[in-house]
Amino acid sequence: MNVDLGPYLSAVPEIVVDRLRGARRVLAVSHENPDADTLGAALAVVHLVEALGGAADAVCTDPVPSIYDFLPGVERVRSDPDPAVVYDLLVILDCGSLERVGDVGVRHAELFGRLPRVIIDHHASNDAGGAADWIDPVAAATCEMVALLAAKLGVDPAAIDHAIATNLMAGIVMDTATFAHPNATPRTLLISSWLVAAGAPLSDISRRLYRSKPNAQLRLFGRILDRLESADDGRIVWSSVTDADYTEAGAERAHSEGLIDLLSQAEDAEVAILFKEAGPKETRISVRTRPGGVDATVLTGRFGGGGHARAAGATIQAPLPEARPPVLAEATRLAATIER
Ligand code: 5GP
Ligand code: MN
């Protein structure tokens, strides 16, 4: 099948194409607590560069959760750049701000500051202003943007046993919840068609990311859902995950992924919040909001976080019981401004 992405290729800045084409040794960096979009984008960039005759490494500061084991090349993701390599280009993927690369950016601040860079990201809150920083908030996923880049570079996504197609499809499936979120546009679907035609196993990817879970994770979900609380006639819905929950369910921290999407199914909720204990003095929040309602980045922005209008997060430097009341108060205040 012939899918023509031609009408969309003008969205890719020439300088991004030139930097990728000119690079011989690329460092592709994902965000901390990685997901399929940031990993798929980084691995696709690695494969793209290799298809063009260069070499590349993928870096993520945190370990990659096993749910992403199926991404082609994921075993090559390193926590730090290779000290033996002289890199000539930094590519930062799916990071709404530079801090999102996490501690690796602190450990290698000199290298990260010195290398010519390309940023590819779809967060509206991203204010990066470098010459080759490409931010497209209309893209459903960073992988959607990297797919356009691959097409513009003339790289066949079916190459290397469908590695590029599979990684890019995984990111799009992740960030659209398999085309269920309102961020999926005609362009998203056309690009996905191109990737599936190139051999990306769409239904297998969707099953792995959304419809298959270890029993321990299902038990963890049960505990957290059972503890659901609500306020303001159900307009605010929340639950909390503590360290003890993981231990008692036999689950891992990565298993809390997906819980917020269940909380956000609460039918009257304007704002759904999951509070996650992330240490004795640290709490992570995940926020989801109803279309046409509260801007999730406004709520998380009050606490130093960011994300998208419907899905955002933040890390708060306080123990969970202290972090919760101010977040709920702010959520209630914002939800009160919404009229249906
Ligand atoms: P999640 O709730 O799934 O962890 O994150 C939802 C969205 O918010 C993701 O697109 C992610 O990129 C963004 N996000 C999550 N946590 C943070 C954060 O601490 N800072 C910023 N800037 N964005 C975040
Ligand atoms: Mn993303």
Side-chain angles (χ1 to χ4, degrees), residues 239-287:
S239 192
S240 309
V241 197
T242 65
D243 288 343
D245 288 317
Y246 296 110
T247 315
E248 285 162 32
E252 302 162 16
R253 279 182 187 277
H255 288 159
S256 65
E257 180 82 45
L259 256 173
I260 183 62
D261 300 300
L262 288 174
L263 292 181
S264 69
Q265 291 175 26
E267 59 186 354
D268 297 321
E270 288 290 343
V271 183
I273 310 169
L274 181 64
F275 296 90
K276 293 176 267 191
E277 191 171 39
K281 288 193 175 148
E282 195 172 290
T283 305
R284 287 266 321 144
I285 59 168
S286 275
V287 175

Side-chain angles (χ1 to χ4, degrees), residues 40-89:
L43 291 167
V45 164
V46 166
H47 289 120
L48 270 178
V49 169
E50 292 179 347
L52 295 169
D57 289 320
V59 159
C60 178
T61 202
D62 288 320
V64 176
S66 57
I67 182 178
Y68 304 122
D69 283 353
F70 70 97
L71 297 175
V74 73
E75 70 287 347
R76 296 172 54 183
V77 176
R78 324 164 42 98
S79 61
D80 291 89
D82 186 341
V85 165
V86 179
Y87 295 100
D88 59 8
L89 184 67

Side-chain angles (χ1 to χ4, degrees), residues 180-230:
H181 289 331
N183 58 357
T185 65
R187 188 179 82 176
T188 315
L189 294 166
L190 193 71
I191 288 170
S192 300
S193 173
W194 186 65
L195 297 172
V196 171
L202 171 58
S203 85
D204 184 54
I205 291 169
S206 178
R207 183 184 55 76
R208 284 173 183 272
L209 294 180
Y210 283 107
R211 297 191 312 281
S212 153
K213 292 174 180 58
N215 292 1
Q217 186 173 19
L218 293 173
R219 280 189 209 101
L220 179 74
F221 279 25
R223 299 175 72 86
I224 310 314
L225 291 178
D226 191 40
R227 199 180 288 153
L228 179 127
E229 294 183 75
S230 68

Side-chain angles (χ1 to χ4, degrees), residues 31 94 96-97 100 123 257 260 276 284-288 304-308 311-315:
H31 64 67
D94 199 40
S97 64
R100 282 285 282 164
H123 294 88
E257 180 82 45
I260 183 62
K276 293 176 267 191
R284 287 266 321 144
I285 59 168
S286 275
V287 175
R288 299 291 184 270
H308 308 283
T315 301

